[in-house]
Amino acid sequence: MEKKKSGNLLQALFLIAVSTGMIFLAYRIAPVPSSFVGSDGVAELAGVIKIRLAMFFVAFALITFCSVYSSKKEKVGQRQAFRFSAALSLAVALGTSLLFPFTIDIRAYCNTNGYKGTRGMQTVSFVRDMKKDLKENHPIEITLKNGDYSLDVVTYTVSSGRSGRLAREYVFNYGGRQALISKGDYEEMSSLQPCEAVTVKYYNRSGLLESVEWIKGGDGK
């Protein structure tokens, strides 16, 4: 019995190491874009999220394979092996991603903008909208006076049981809509305020920004 418990512990530690390693690899090959504004920024954001999602599924498949292989070596029944591997794989992959997310934090943004389903479904829908926006390439232009736009930082806790982490999203509110922006975008926009007005070009589906032009008072733009 003690040997079996030790084996399960070693297996769990191995799976955690695999999951964490895949996350850090995703961070290395797909870092968060410095800006989410403009067609290049939107395309880069969509690409990064797609790569990180792919890494998550690769990690999950690898963890599942390792679990099934280990269970079969211990001569556990086929059905029991599948249940055990599926539960352990899901717990390890999702549990590890709570501390080190595979994808960029967009849960609050997706909820606010009406994306339905699980976090994965929302993420896929968001990426699909970005791709459609870029393909159509018809941003909408509006001009807003001071007070009709604002910058916000949305914070929330991503948790499971007693463990968790603090997530932070930066958003630009404009004309009753909201755009996800990067930390760099937020800091740059904050330094340009206050302004008399702002001209915004945005993508209709994703709500992301194609451009933002700050209009100063008195001496013009």
Side-chain angles (χ1 to χ4, degrees):
M1 179 65 71
E2 193 66 33
K3 185 177 180 180
K4 186 174 181 180
K5 286 183 179 180
S6 177
N8 289 338
L9 177 60
L10 289 175
Q11 180 180 349
L13 291 175
F14 172 73
L15 296 179
I16 291 173
V18 170
S19 181
T20 304
M22 294 295 287
I23 290 173
F24 283 123
L25 180 59
Y27 276 35
R28 184 69 179 267
I29 65 177
V32 178
S34 59
S35 175
F36 302 166
V37 178
S39 57
D40 290 342
V42 174
E44 190 174 357
L45 176 61
V48 165
I49 294 176
K50 286 176 65 177
I51 290 173
R52 290 191 176 191
L53 275 177
M55 294 293 288
F56 175 83
F57 287 117
V58 169
F60 183 80
L62 181 60
I63 291 170
T64 300
F65 172 79
C66 292
S67 298
V68 171
Y69 180 77
S70 175
S71 298
K72 285 184 176 181
K73 283 191 68 176
E74 293 180 10
K75 298 181 180 181
V76 179
Q78 185 81 15
R79 184 173 297 179
Q80 286 180 296
F82 176 78
R83 289 177 178 175
F84 170 78
S85 63
L88 184 58
S89 300
L90 186 61
V92 170
L94 296 183
T96 309
S97 67
L98 287 174
L99 300 177
F100 306 99
F102 273 97
T103 60
I104 297 170
D105 288 317
I106 54 174
R107 187 179 73 182
Y109 182 78
C110 287
N111 289 337
T112 300
N113 288 275
Y115 289 98
K116 306 296 183 182
T118 63
R119 286 173 57 189
M121 293 168 62
Q122 290 178 333
T123 302
V124 170
S125 296
F126 182 44
V127 171
R128 186 183 298 120
D129 280 349
M130 283 190 276
K131 291 295 186 181
K132 288 180 180 178
D133 283 334
L134 292 172
K135 184 177 181 180
E136 293 174 0
N137 194 27
H138 292 303
I140 301 170
E141 180 177 321
I142 58 173
T143 299
L144 302 168
K145 294 182 179 180
N146 188 19
D148 293 335
Y149 62 89
S150 64
L151 293 166
D152 284 323
V153 181
V154 181
T155 58
Y156 54 92
T157 301
V158 180
S159 62
S160 177
R162 297 181 179 179
S163 62
R165 63 179 179 83
L166 183 66
R168 182 176 285 107
E169 299 178 23
Y170 301 89
V171 294
F172 177 72
N173 301 300
Y174 61 101
R177 298 178 67 96
Q178 189 181 82
L180 184 72
I181 57 176
S182 70
K183 181 180 180 181
D185 293 326
Y186 177 87
E187 292 173 347
E188 180 181 355
M189 291 179 180
S190 296
S191 69
L192 294 171
Q193 295 191 76
C195 281
E196 181 179 321
V198 61
T199 296
V200 177
K201 288 184 180 179
Y202 68 92
Y203 294 105
N204 186 50
R205 286 189 172 85
S206 64
L208 298 182
L209 303 174
E210 199 280 331
S211 67
V212 181
E213 185 177 3
W214 303 87
I215 304 173
K216 298 290 185 180
D219 58 349
K221 300 177 182 179

